[in-house]
Amino acid sequence: MLKYDKSQQAVLDEFFKEETTWYIQQVLNNFLTALFIFISSGIMIIPHQVWNIAEDKAMLFIIYGLYLSAISVYGQTYTVYSESGEVKELYKVIRWLPVSACQFRLYRIRKCAKLCVKCTVAIMVIRAFIAVGFMHNFCIFDLIIPVIFNLAFPVLLSMVAVFLRER
C-alpha cells in the first residue's frame, strides 16, 4: 500500500526547488494555472443562492471545466521535463534520486491536492463573506459545493491520472 516517506518527499522538494524553478515549461504551467484559476474563481465565488441551476448548467460546466484544466496543467509540471531540448518523462530524469516511483506518485498527488485545498478554502471564505455580508443569508451549499467540485473531484481525477499514466 502507499506509505508516505518524509525523507523521499524532501528529496523531491529539493529537486523541484533547484532544477525547475525557472524552467520555462514550469513558468508557463504556473502562469496558465493561475490564469485559469483566477478566471474560474471569479464565477465560483458567487453564492449558491444567486445561481439558477436549471438555467446556468452550461456556464457551471464551463467554469468547473476551466478549473479542472487548471489543475491538469499544474499536474503537468510534475509529469514531463525538458532536458537538452528533449522532452522526457520526469520519473526517467529523477530515477537516480533515492526516490521510489510510489513516492513520486504520492508527491504529484500531494502537490495537486495542496493547490485544491488552498483554492477551496479561499472560495468557501469569499462565498460565505459575500452571502452573509451582502445577502444577509447563508446556505450550506456555499460550503458543500466547493468541497465537492473544487477539492474532492479534482483530487480524485488527479489521482486517477497519476495512476493511469504510470501503467
Side-chain angles (χ1 to χ4, degrees):
M1 196 66 187
L2 300 174
K3 184 181 175 201
Y4 186 79
D5 184 357
K6 287 184 181 182
S7 63
Q8 290 185 30
Q9 297 295 316
V11 168
L12 286 167
D13 278 334
E14 189 64 30
F15 170 79
F16 281 104
K17 182 180 174 188
E18 287 181 13
E19 298 297 327
T20 63
T21 303
W22 293 109
Y23 164 56
I24 190 68
Q25 190 65 36
Q26 182 163 357
V27 172
L28 181 63
N29 285 349
N30 289 340
F31 173 74
L32 288 175
T33 300
L35 180 67
F36 290 171
I37 287 176
F38 179 75
I39 292 169
S40 62
S41 295
I43 302 294
M44 288 190 282
I45 62 171
I46 297 172
H48 177 72
Q49 300 90 317
V50 175
W51 288 103
N52 183 352
I53 301 298
E55 293 178 8
D56 297 330
K57 284 181 187 172
M59 180 64 151
L60 291 174
F61 280 123
I62 291 169
I63 295 304
Y64 284 109
L66 190 60
Y67 179 77
L68 289 174
S69 296
I71 302 303
S72 177
V73 167
Y74 184 73
Q76 287 297 324
T77 303
Y78 304 102
T79 304
V80 294
Y81 184 74
S82 179
E83 188 176 62
S84 304
E86 182 181 341
V87 177
K88 299 179 179 181
E89 288 288 324
L90 193 55
Y91 188 70
K92 291 179 181 175
V93 173
I94 65 168
R95 69 178 173 236
W96 306 112
L97 293 175
V99 175
S100 70
C102 179
Q103 290 301 312
F104 183 57
R105 286 187 207 117
L106 284 174
Y107 183 80
R108 290 171 25 199
I109 292 168
R110 182 179 62 118
K111 286 295 189 177
C112 287
K114 238 178 172 178
L115 178 64
C116 290
V117 166
K118 289 176 184 178
C119 291
T120 302
V121 169
I123 289 168
M124 286 172 38
V125 167
I126 293 170
R127 268 184 140 181
F129 177 76
I130 291 171
V132 172
F134 296 107
M135 301 173 68
H136 307 293
N137 161 338
F138 182 76
C139 179
I140 192 68
F141 288 112
D142 288 329
L143 300 177
I144 293 173
I145 290 172
V147 167
I148 293 170
F149 291 109
N150 292 84
L151 181 63
F153 191 62
V155 170
L156 182 63
L157 284 179
S158 70
M159 289 173 68
V160 168
V162 164
F163 286 108
L164 287 180
R165 186 169 183 89
E166 297 297 325
R167 290 186 139 215

